[in-house]
Amino acid sequence: MSVDYSSMKDATRAVHAGLVSEPVTGAVIPPIFQTSTYEQKSPGKHSGFDYSRGTNPTRDAYEKALAGIEKAKFGISYSSGLAAIQAVIQTLEPQSEVIVSDDVYGGTGRLFRKLFAKYGITFHFVDMNDIENVKTKLNDKTKLIWIETPTNPLLKVADIKKISTVSKAHSSDIIVVVDNTFCSPIYQKPLELGADISAHSTTKYISGHSDVIGGALMMDRDDLHEKLKFVQFAAGSVPSPFECFLLHRSIRTLHLRMERHHVNVLKVYKFLKNHKKTKQLYFPGDPDHPGHKAYMSQTSGFSGMISVKLDMTFDELSNFLSHLKVFKLAESLGGVESLVNHPEQMTHASVPEDHRKLLGIDYSLLRFSVGVEDGDDLVDDLSQAIDKA
Ligand SMILES: Cc1ncc(COP(=O)(O)O)c(C=O)c1O
């Protein structure tokens, strides 16, 4: 039986959205449709499925679950977060202008600067913490505002409601997208705040187990859904049925994982806030963070993301990293295991050096993805490694 969960709470939607028991056996978890094609009764006469780049039952169920957790009408899945971002840019015409958060994930900046700028699309990178910077760049050619909030790796915050209102007042043609990867749909719902699309690297919190690469776009507007579904089909960056199965399975525990990330990151924040080796802390829950007020007004919790500059030489920092026992030095974030990343040398090495300097991404910056282990063990781990640095 198909039940409408749309008016129910996050936890119920996370567990049930998109799942319908298999009709022949009653299996509560439907089988994975590991098929590329479908037999047709006569040419063009089929059951709604003809080729898996276009539609696949396992992907359809997962996309319904994506829509469900974001409280959106539609979810569309892609083979990576960058493929999802790329799909949005592919809907633009040459000569369009895009306003982008200045501290977006390094790969997003690289995609815009290196791959799309040459097609005549102009990208303006601005600090969206101050809405005046967005207003200054708005003009008749502006077609898209790409907000990442909080940003990767400095956790800058943009006020989604204010930016959406200002851009729509300028022109209803402007599409507002929020990269919602850092908060996950559990803690931030950009569509309710006026954005047109919520984008995710599902590789991160939605997967939660560091075993899949994926991306997703969620939206309410039929016109955007139609355009982006076409790009998904025509450009072909689709996830495999097995990846869809894994991601759908992950969604069912997203709310539980986010609750533990929230508890643990607050423990790590308190430890770092009071530590004498902390030079600068980047955490939107900190009342001293410039985006604190906006963050608290538009989200309902914290994911495991926190960045810090430690008062250490590079050698001391390397020593600190090598003494960590629970935190692993690795790219990516959002998994159940705690990770630490060195943005300058790792995830943000592709950001042009002068831009990195301008933002303050230097050798002393570390980005932590606090997992769901025991929070006290995580604090102990950081403490012993700092002492040995
Ligand atoms: C905020 C954000 N958006 C997008 C991406 C790109 O996602 P993917 O690596 O799945 O292509 C990342 C990757 O780290 C990210 O952190």
Side-chain angles (χ1 to χ4, degrees), residues 373-384:
E373 302 93 337
D374 184 283
D376 296 334
D377 282 343
L378 296 178
V379 168
D380 288 349
D381 192 34
L382 294 173
S383 179
Q384 61 83 26

Side-chain angles (χ1 to χ4, degrees), residues 252-324:
R252 307 186 80 205
T253 54
L254 180 63
H255 55 300
L256 296 175
R257 289 184 278 111
M258 294 315 292
E259 277 172 27
R260 179 60 87 91
H261 287 297
H262 174 98
V263 170
N264 283 356
V265 81
L266 286 175
K267 288 191 178 180
V268 170
Y269 158 65
K270 278 186 195 126
F271 168 76
L272 289 173
K273 178 78 179 166
N274 297 318
H275 203 286
K276 60 179 187 304
K277 284 286 180 191
T278 296
K279 205 162 58 177
Q280 196 164 348
L281 199 54
Y282 302 86
F283 181 61
D286 184 347
D288 296 334
H289 186 287
H292 177 68
K293 208 169 140 224
Y295 188 90
M296 299 313 277
S297 74
Q298 65 190 13
T299 65
S300 54
F302 302 107
S303 69
M305 302 313 298
I306 182 165
S307 296
V308 66
K309 277 186 183 167
L310 292 176
D311 192 8
M312 293 182 184
T313 62
F314 185 68
D315 285 348
E316 287 169 337
L317 201 79
S318 301
N319 258 342
F320 160 71
L321 292 170
S322 67
H323 281 107
L324 287 168

